[in-house]
Amino acid sequence: MRVLGVDPGLTRCGVGVVEGVAGRPLRMLGVGVIRTPAEADTAERLLLVEQGLERWLTEYRPEYVAVERVFSQHNVRTVMGTAQASAVAMLCAARRGLPVALHTPSEVKAAVTGSGRADKAQVGSMVTRLLRLDAPPKPADAADALALAICHIWRAPATNRLQQAVAAHRRTTAEAPLMKGTR
Amino acid sequence: MRVLGVDPGLTRCGVGVVEGVAGRPLRMLGVGVIRTPAEADTAERLLLVEQGLERWLTEYRPEYVAVERVFSQHNVRTVMGTAQASAVAMLCAARRGLPVALHTPSEVKAAVTGSGRADKAQVGSMVTRLLRLDAPPKPADAADALALAICHIWRAPATNRLQQAVAAHRRTTAEAPLMKGTR
Protein backbone atom coordinates (compact mmCIF):
# COMPACT_ATOMS: atom_id res chain seq x y z
CA MET A 1 0.00 0.00 0.00
CA ARG A 2 1.08 3.55 -0.76
CA VAL A 3 0.36 6.19 1.88
CA LEU A 4 0.70 9.98 1.88
CA GLY A 5 1.35 11.18 5.42
CA VAL A 6 0.45 14.81 6.17
CA ASP A 7 1.66 16.73 9.22
CA PRO A 8 -0.72 19.68 8.83
CA GLY A 9 0.29 23.29 9.32
CA LEU A 10 0.03 26.66 7.60
CA THR A 11 3.66 27.71 8.06
CA ARG A 12 5.06 24.25 7.31
CA CYS A 13 2.91 21.34 6.17
CA GLY A 14 4.99 18.16 6.17
CA VAL A 15 4.31 15.59 3.44
CA GLY A 16 5.82 12.15 2.94
CA VAL A 17 4.97 9.14 0.78
CA VAL A 18 5.80 5.62 1.95
CA GLU A 19 5.07 2.33 0.22
CA GLY A 20 5.02 -1.11 1.80
CA VAL A 21 3.10 -3.55 3.94
CA ALA A 22 3.33 -4.39 7.62
CA GLY A 23 6.13 -6.86 8.36
CA ARG A 24 8.19 -6.07 5.26
CA PRO A 25 10.83 -3.36 4.63
CA LEU A 26 9.28 -0.01 3.74
CA ARG A 27 10.28 2.35 0.95
CA MET A 28 10.17 6.15 0.93
CA LEU A 29 8.98 7.57 -2.40
CA GLY A 30 9.10 11.26 -1.53
CA VAL A 31 9.28 13.73 1.34
CA GLY A 32 8.96 17.49 1.59
CA VAL A 33 7.32 20.50 3.14
CA ILE A 34 4.65 22.85 1.79
CA ARG A 35 5.33 26.35 3.11
CA THR A 36 3.11 29.42 3.04
CA PRO A 37 4.06 33.00 3.94
CA ALA A 38 3.01 34.04 7.45
CA GLU A 39 2.10 37.49 6.13
CA ALA A 40 -0.51 36.19 3.68
CA ASP A 41 -4.23 36.00 4.46
CA THR A 42 -5.40 32.70 5.90
CA ALA A 43 -7.54 32.13 2.80
CA GLU A 44 -4.52 32.57 0.53
CA ARG A 45 -2.41 30.28 2.73
CA LEU A 46 -5.08 27.56 2.64
CA LEU A 47 -5.14 27.85 -1.14
CA LEU A 48 -1.35 27.39 -1.29
CA VAL A 49 -1.60 24.32 0.95
CA GLU A 50 -4.31 22.91 -1.32
CA GLN A 51 -2.24 23.53 -4.46
CA GLY A 52 0.79 21.91 -2.83
CA LEU A 53 -1.15 18.85 -1.68
CA GLU A 54 -2.78 18.48 -5.09
CA ARG A 55 0.68 18.33 -6.67
CA TRP A 56 1.74 15.59 -4.24
CA LEU A 57 -1.45 13.59 -4.79
CA THR A 58 -1.13 13.87 -8.57
CA GLU A 59 2.55 12.97 -8.62
CA TYR A 60 2.51 10.04 -6.17
CA ARG A 61 -1.06 8.68 -6.51
CA PRO A 62 -1.29 7.37 -2.92
CA GLU A 63 -4.05 4.91 -2.02
CA TYR A 64 -4.45 6.27 1.51
CA VAL A 65 -3.93 9.61 3.21
CA ALA A 66 -2.90 9.68 6.88
CA VAL A 67 -3.30 13.02 8.67
CA GLU A 68 -2.25 13.94 12.19
CA ARG A 69 -5.28 14.30 14.45
CA VAL A 70 -5.39 17.82 15.86
CA PHE A 71 -6.06 18.51 19.51
CA SER A 72 -6.62 21.93 20.97
CA GLN A 73 -4.68 21.67 24.21
CA HIS A 74 -1.88 23.73 22.63
CA ASN A 75 -1.57 27.38 21.69
CA VAL A 76 -4.93 28.58 20.37
CA ARG A 77 -3.65 30.45 17.31
CA THR A 78 -1.47 27.56 16.19
CA VAL A 79 -4.23 25.03 16.68
CA MET A 80 -6.62 26.99 14.47
CA GLY A 81 -4.10 27.01 11.62
CA THR A 82 -3.36 23.33 12.12
CA ALA A 83 -7.06 22.43 12.19
CA GLN A 84 -7.64 24.45 9.01
CA ALA A 85 -4.67 22.92 7.17
CA SER A 86 -5.80 19.43 8.23
CA ALA A 87 -9.25 20.24 6.83
CA VAL A 88 -7.67 21.00 3.46
CA ALA A 89 -5.74 17.72 3.53
CA MET A 90 -8.90 15.73 4.37
CA LEU A 91 -10.85 17.58 1.70
CA CYS A 92 -8.25 16.95 -1.03
CA ALA A 93 -8.27 13.23 -0.18
CA ALA A 94 -12.06 12.97 0.02
CA ARG A 95 -12.43 14.73 -3.34
CA ARG A 96 -10.35 11.96 -4.92
CA GLY A 97 -12.26 9.25 -3.06
CA LEU A 98 -9.17 8.32 -1.02
CA PRO A 99 -9.69 6.94 2.50
CA VAL A 100 -8.45 9.33 5.19
CA ALA A 101 -7.08 8.07 8.50
CA LEU A 102 -6.37 10.29 11.47
CA HIS A 103 -3.66 9.26 13.92
CA THR A 104 -2.77 11.05 17.14
CA PRO A 105 0.82 12.16 17.77
CA SER A 106 1.10 9.53 20.53
CA GLU A 107 -0.10 6.76 18.22
CA VAL A 108 2.48 7.77 15.64
CA LYS A 109 5.32 7.96 18.16
CA ALA A 110 4.32 4.64 19.73
CA ALA A 111 4.10 2.94 16.32
CA VAL A 112 7.48 4.18 15.13
CA THR A 113 9.60 4.25 18.31
CA GLY A 114 7.73 2.01 20.73
CA SER A 115 7.00 4.93 23.07
CA GLY A 116 4.11 7.39 22.85
CA ARG A 117 6.30 9.98 24.56
CA ALA A 118 9.31 9.83 22.22
CA ASP A 119 10.85 13.19 21.27
CA LYS A 120 11.36 14.62 17.78
CA ALA A 121 14.95 13.33 17.59
CA GLN A 122 13.91 9.75 18.40
CA VAL A 123 11.14 9.86 15.80
CA GLY A 124 13.55 11.26 13.19
CA SER A 125 16.14 8.63 14.02
CA MET A 126 13.67 5.71 13.75
CA VAL A 127 12.23 7.06 10.48
CA THR A 128 15.78 7.25 9.09
CA ARG A 129 16.48 3.66 10.08
CA LEU A 130 13.13 2.21 8.95
CA LEU A 131 13.33 3.83 5.52
CA ARG A 132 17.11 3.30 5.23
CA LEU A 133 17.85 6.98 4.64
CA ASP A 134 21.27 8.62 4.86
CA ALA A 135 20.13 11.25 7.36
CA PRO A 136 16.96 12.26 9.23
CA PRO A 137 14.61 14.25 6.96
CA LYS A 138 14.57 17.96 7.80
CA PRO A 139 12.61 19.85 9.03
CA ALA A 140 10.92 17.75 11.73
CA ASP A 141 7.55 18.24 9.99
CA ALA A 142 8.85 16.22 7.02
CA ALA A 143 10.03 13.39 9.29
CA ASP A 144 6.68 13.49 11.14
CA ALA A 145 4.81 13.10 7.86
CA LEU A 146 6.83 9.98 7.05
CA ALA A 147 6.21 8.66 10.57
CA LEU A 148 2.47 9.16 10.02
CA ALA A 149 2.60 7.17 6.78
CA ILE A 150 4.59 4.37 8.48
CA CYS A 151 2.17 4.36 11.40
CA HIS A 152 -0.71 3.99 8.99
CA ILE A 153 0.86 1.06 7.14
CA TRP A 154 1.57 -0.76 10.40
CA ARG A 155 -1.81 -0.06 11.98
CA ALA A 156 -3.75 -0.72 8.77
CA PRO A 157 -4.29 -4.48 9.23
CA ALA A 158 -6.13 -3.89 12.53
CA THR A 159 -7.98 -0.84 11.22
CA ASN A 160 -9.07 -2.66 8.07
CA ARG A 161 -10.42 -5.59 10.10
CA LEU A 162 -12.39 -3.09 12.20
CA GLN A 163 -13.75 -1.30 9.13
CA GLN A 164 -14.75 -4.61 7.58
CA ALA A 165 -16.59 -5.57 10.77
CA VAL A 166 -18.40 -2.22 10.85
CA ALA A 167 -19.32 -2.51 7.17
CA ALA A 168 -20.59 -6.07 7.70
CA HIS A 169 -22.68 -4.89 10.64
CA ARG A 170 -24.17 -2.06 8.56
CA ARG A 171 -25.09 -4.46 5.78
CA THR A 172 -27.08 -6.58 8.25
CA THR A 173 -28.87 -3.52 9.68
CA ALA A 174 -32.09 -2.85 7.76
CA GLU A 175 -32.61 0.47 5.93
CA ALA A 176 -29.12 1.88 6.68
CA PRO A 177 -30.60 4.26 9.31
CA LEU A 178 -27.27 6.06 9.73
CA MET A 179 -27.76 8.02 6.56
CA LYS A 180 -31.55 8.43 6.67
CA GLY A 181 -32.67 11.82 5.44
CA THR A 182 -29.27 13.35 5.78
CA ARG A 183 -28.38 14.00 2.15
CA MET B 1 -21.90 44.86 -3.67
CA ARG B 2 -23.03 41.27 -3.36
CA VAL B 3 -21.85 39.30 -0.32
CA LEU B 4 -22.12 35.64 0.64
CA GLY B 5 -22.16 35.33 4.43
CA VAL B 6 -21.08 31.96 5.87
CA ASP B 7 -21.73 30.86 9.45
CA PRO B 8 -19.39 27.85 9.39
CA GLY B 9 -20.22 24.47 10.90
CA LEU B 10 -20.19 20.80 10.00
CA THR B 11 -23.67 19.95 11.29
CA ARG B 12 -25.24 23.16 9.98
CA CYS B 13 -23.36 25.68 7.84
CA GLY B 14 -25.48 28.81 7.42
CA VAL B 15 -25.31 30.64 4.09
CA GLY B 16 -26.96 33.89 3.03
CA VAL B 17 -26.53 36.27 0.10
CA VAL B 18 -27.22 39.99 0.51
CA GLU B 19 -26.85 42.77 -2.05
CA GLY B 20 -26.57 46.49 -1.39
CA VAL B 21 -24.38 49.32 -0.23
CA ALA B 22 -24.02 51.03 3.14
CA GLY B 23 -26.71 53.66 3.69
CA ARG B 24 -29.25 52.18 1.27
CA PRO B 25 -31.90 49.47 1.74
CA LEU B 26 -30.45 45.96 1.43
CA ARG B 27 -31.86 43.03 -0.51
CA MET B 28 -31.68 39.33 0.38
CA LEU B 29 -31.03 37.14 -2.65
CA GLY B 30 -30.93 33.76 -0.93
CA VAL B 31 -30.59 32.05 2.43
CA GLY B 32 -30.16 28.46 3.53
CA VAL B 33 -28.22 25.86 5.46
CA ILE B 34 -25.78 23.21 4.28
CA ARG B 35 -26.15 20.14 6.50
CA THR B 36 -23.91 17.09 6.80
CA PRO B 37 -24.64 13.84 8.66
CA ALA B 38 -23.01 13.64 12.11
CA GLU B 39 -22.26 9.95 11.49
CA ALA B 40 -20.12 10.58 8.43
CA ASP B 41 -16.32 10.88 8.53
CA THR B 42 -14.99 14.41 8.94
CA ALA B 43 -13.39 14.19 5.47
CA GLU B 44 -16.74 13.27 3.91
CA ARG B 45 -18.49 16.07 5.82
CA LEU B 46 -15.95 18.64 4.63
CA LEU B 47 -16.50 17.44 1.07
CA LEU B 48 -20.27 17.92 1.44
CA VAL B 49 -19.71 21.44 2.82
CA GLU B 50 -17.44 22.21 -0.13
CA GLN B 51 -19.98 20.91 -2.65
CA GLY B 52 -22.74 22.92 -0.98
CA LEU B 53 -20.70 26.15 -0.94
CA GLU B 54 -19.66 25.64 -4.56
CA ARG B 55 -23.33 25.47 -5.53
CA TRP B 56 -24.04 28.75 -3.69
CA LEU B 57 -21.03 30.50 -5.23
CA THR B 58 -21.97 29.31 -8.71
CA GLU B 59 -25.63 30.25 -8.38
CA TYR B 60 -25.23 33.68 -6.74
CA ARG B 61 -21.78 34.85 -7.97
CA PRO B 62 -20.99 36.98 -4.88
CA GLU B 63 -18.15 39.53 -5.07
CA TYR B 64 -17.16 39.04 -1.43
CA VAL B 65 -17.33 36.21 1.08
CA ALA B 66 -17.74 37.04 4.78
CA VAL B 67 -16.99 34.22 7.22
CA GLU B 68 -17.43 34.17 10.97
CA ARG B 69 -14.07 34.31 12.73
CA VAL B 70 -13.67 31.24 14.91
CA PHE B 71 -12.42 31.40 18.48
CA SER B 72 -11.55 28.44 20.60
CA GLN B 73 -12.97 29.49 23.95
CA HIS B 74 -15.95 27.17 23.37
CA ASN B 75 -16.32 23.41 23.38
CA VAL B 76 -13.18 21.86 21.87
CA ARG B 77 -14.91 19.35 19.61
CA THR B 78 -17.30 21.95 18.19
CA VAL B 79 -14.52 24.47 17.60
CA MET B 80 -12.50 21.97 15.57
CA GLY B 81 -15.46 21.33 13.26
CA THR B 82 -16.17 25.03 12.98
CA ALA B 83 -12.52 25.85 12.22
CA GLN B 84 -12.44 23.12 9.57
CA ALA B 85 -15.70 24.22 7.93
CA SER B 86 -14.47 27.84 7.92
CA ALA B 87 -11.27 26.65 6.21
CA VAL B 88 -13.37 25.13 3.44
CA ALA B 89 -15.33 28.39 3.03
CA MET B 90 -12.13 30.46 2.84
CA LEU B 91 -10.60 27.98 0.41
CA CYS B 92 -13.62 27.99 -1.94
CA ALA B 93 -13.54 31.80 -2.01
CA ALA B 94 -9.76 32.04 -2.51
CA ARG B 95 -9.92 29.50 -5.35
CA ARG B 96 -12.28 31.85 -7.20
CA GLY B 97 -10.15 34.89 -6.36
CA LEU B 98 -12.89 36.35 -4.13
CA PRO B 99 -11.82 38.52 -1.18
CA VAL B 100 -12.56 36.87 2.16
CA ALA B 101 -13.38 38.91 5.26
CA LEU B 102 -13.56 37.48 8.75
CA HIS B 103 -15.84 39.14 11.30
CA THR B 104 -16.16 38.18 14.95
CA PRO B 105 -19.58 37.34 16.40
CA SER B 106 -19.45 40.57 18.46
CA GLU B 107 -18.69 42.67 15.39
CA VAL B 108 -21.64 41.12 13.58
CA LYS B 109 -24.02 41.61 16.51
CA ALA B 110 -22.86 45.18 17.03
CA ALA B 111 -23.21 46.02 13.32
CA VAL B 112 -26.72 44.59 13.05
CA THR B 113 -28.29 45.33 16.44
CA GLY B 114 -26.09 48.06 17.92
CA SER B 115 -24.94 45.77 20.74
CA GLY B 116 -22.07 43.26 20.67
CA ARG B 117 -23.91 41.20 23.27
CA ALA B 118 -27.26 40.86 21.49
CA ASP B 119 -28.89 37.41 21.64
CA LYS B 120 -29.94 35.18 18.73
CA ALA B 121 -33.52 36.47 18.82
CA GLN B 122 -32.43 40.11 18.56
CA VAL B 123 -30.12 39.31 15.64
CA GLY B 124 -32.91 37.38 13.88
CA SER B 125 -35.36 40.19 14.48
CA MET B 126 -33.04 42.91 13.10
CA VAL B 127 -32.12 40.78 10.06
CA THR B 128 -35.84 40.33 9.37
CA ARG B 129 -36.43 44.07 9.57
CA LEU B 130 -33.34 45.14 7.59
CA LEU B 131 -34.08 42.74 4.73
CA ARG B 132 -37.87 43.29 4.94
CA LEU B 133 -38.63 39.58 5.39
CA ASP B 134 -41.93 38.12 6.54
CA ALA B 135 -40.36 36.13 9.36
CA PRO B 136 -36.89 35.55 10.89
CA PRO B 137 -34.91 33.01 8.82
CA LYS B 138 -34.65 29.62 10.49
CA PRO B 139 -32.48 28.04 11.81
CA ALA B 140 -30.41 30.68 13.62
CA ASP B 141 -27.35 29.71 11.51
CA ALA B 142 -29.16 30.99 8.40
CA ALA B 143 -30.01 34.31 10.09
CA ASP B 144 -26.42 34.59 11.33
CA ALA B 145 -25.11 34.12 7.79
CA LEU B 146 -27.30 37.01 6.59
CA ALA B 147 -26.15 39.13 9.54
CA LEU B 148 -22.53 38.44 8.52
CA ALA B 149 -23.23 39.59 4.97
CA ILE B 150 -24.96 42.76 6.25
CA CYS B 151 -22.10 43.44 8.67
CA HIS B 152 -19.65 43.14 5.79
CA ILE B 153 -21.56 45.57 3.57
CA TRP B 154 -21.76 48.13 6.37
CA ARG B 155 -18.15 47.74 7.51
CA ALA B 156 -16.78 47.57 3.96
CA PRO B 157 -16.22 51.33 3.42
CA ALA B 158 -13.88 51.51 6.45
CA THR B 159 -12.21 48.18 5.63
CA ASN B 160 -11.66 49.17 2.01
CA ARG B 161 -10.05 52.46 3.03
CA LEU B 162 -7.76 50.49 5.36
CA GLN B 163 -6.86 47.97 2.65
CA GLN B 164 -6.13 50.79 0.22
CA ALA B 165 -3.84 52.45 2.77
CA VAL B 166 -1.99 49.16 3.40
CA ALA B 167 -1.66 48.55 -0.34
CA ALA B 168 -0.35 52.09 -0.88
CA HIS B 169 2.17 51.59 1.93
CA ARG B 170 3.34 48.31 0.37
CA ARG B 171 3.80 49.96 -3.01
CA THR B 172 6.12 52.54 -1.43
CA THR B 173 8.14 49.83 0.35
CA ALA B 174 11.02 48.71 -1.88
CA GLU B 175 11.29 45.09 -3.08
CA ALA B 176 8.00 43.94 -1.52
CA PRO B 177 9.93 42.16 1.29
CA LEU B 178 6.73 40.59 2.65
CA MET B 179 6.70 37.98 -0.05
CA LYS B 180 10.44 37.52 -0.53
CA GLY B 181 11.38 33.94 -1.17
CA THR B 182 8.13 32.58 0.08
CA ARG B 183 6.62 31.25 -3.12
Side-chain angles (χ1 to χ4, degrees), chain A residues 114-178:
Chain A
S115 161
R117 283 181 291 177
D119 61 19
K120 294 253 171 226
Q122 288 172 291
V123 171
S125 157
M126 279 307 293
V127 164
T128 310
R129 197 187 306 181
L130 291 166
L131 299 175
R132 286 150 292 135
L133 309 176
D134 295 331
K138 295 263 169 68
D141 314 77
D144 285 349
L146 291 172
L148 264 156
I150 295 170
C151 169
H152 187 69
I153 291 170
W154 287 354
R155 288 172 62 98
T159 313
N160 291 348
R161 278 198 300 275
L162 188 63
Q163 286 174 343
Q164 282 162 4
V166 170
H169 172 74
R170 279 195 191 149
R171 278 197 299 276
T172 60
T173 311
E175 298 296 325
L178 277 185

Side-chain angles (χ1 to χ4, degrees), chain A residues 32-50:
Chain A
V33 173
I34 300 162
R35 295 172 196 270
T36 78
E39 303 82 4
D41 286 345
T42 305
E44 173 71 11
R45 301 181 79 179
L46 293 170
L47 185 60
L48 292 170
V49 169
E50 180 185 52

Side-chain angles (χ1 to χ4, degrees), chain A residues 35-37 39-44 46-48 50 70-72 76 79-80 83-88 90-91 94-95 100 102 170 178-179 182-183, chain B residues 35-37 39-44 46-48 50 70-72 76 79-80 83-88 90-91 94-95 100 102 170 178-179 182-183:
Chain A
R35 295 172 196 270
T36 78
E39 303 82 4
D41 286 345
T42 305
E44 173 71 11
L46 293 170
L47 185 60
L48 292 170
E50 180 185 52
V70 183
F71 288 106
S72 70
V76 168
V79 162
M80 282 294 147
Q84 291 169 334
S86 78
V88 175
M90 285 189 262
L91 184 64
R95 228 189 269 135
V100 177
L102 303 174
R170 279 195 191 149
L178 277 185
M179 292 298 179
T182 47
R183 302 204 191 189
Chain B
R35 294 171 196 272
T36 78
E39 303 81 5
D41 286 345
T42 304
E44 173 71 11
L46 292 169
L47 185 61
L48 292 170
E50 180 185 52
V70 182
F71 289 106
S72 71
V76 168
V79 162
M80 282 294 146
Q84 291 169 333
S86 79
V88 174
M90 287 189 261
L91 184 64
R95 228 189 269 134
V100 177
L102 302 175
R170 280 195 191 148
L178 278 185
M179 291 299 178
T182 47
R183 299 202 193 193

Side-chain angles (χ1 to χ4, degrees), chain B residues 44-175:
Chain B
E44 173 71 11
R45 301 182 78 179
L46 292 169
L47 185 61
L48 292 170
V49 169
E50 180 185 52
Q51 290 168 346
L53 288 171
E54 283 294 327
R55 278 194 293 271
W56 279 79
L57 289 165
T58 299
E59 182 165 348
Y60 291 98
R61 303 268 164 208
E63 298 149 285
Y64 299 87
V65 176
V67 183
E68 188 174 297
R69 190 185 287 278
V70 182
F71 289 106
S72 71
Q73 70 263 42
H74 311 294
N75 176 290
V76 168
R77 244 190 97 82
T78 312
V79 162
M80 282 294 146
T82 310
Q84 291 169 333
S86 79
V88 174
M90 287 189 261
L91 184 64
C92 289
R95 228 189 269 134
R96 290 173 185 242
L98 299 176
V100 177
L102 302 175
H103 300 288
T104 67
S106 319
E107 284 168 351
V108 175
K109 288 174 187 172
V112 174
T113 72
S115 160
R117 285 181 288 177
D119 62 19
K120 294 253 170 224
Q122 288 171 290
V123 171
S125 157
M126 279 307 293
V127 164
T128 310
R129 199 188 304 181
L130 291 165
L131 300 174
R132 286 151 293 134
L133 309 176
D134 295 332
K138 296 263 171 67
D141 314 77
D144 286 348
L146 291 172
L148 266 156
I150 295 170
C151 168
H152 186 69
I153 291 171
W154 287 354
R155 287 171 63 99
T159 313
N160 291 347
R161 278 197 300 276
L162 187 64
Q163 284 174 344
Q164 281 161 5
V166 170
H169 172 75
R170 280 195 191 148
R171 278 195 300 275
T172 61
T173 312
E175 298 296 324

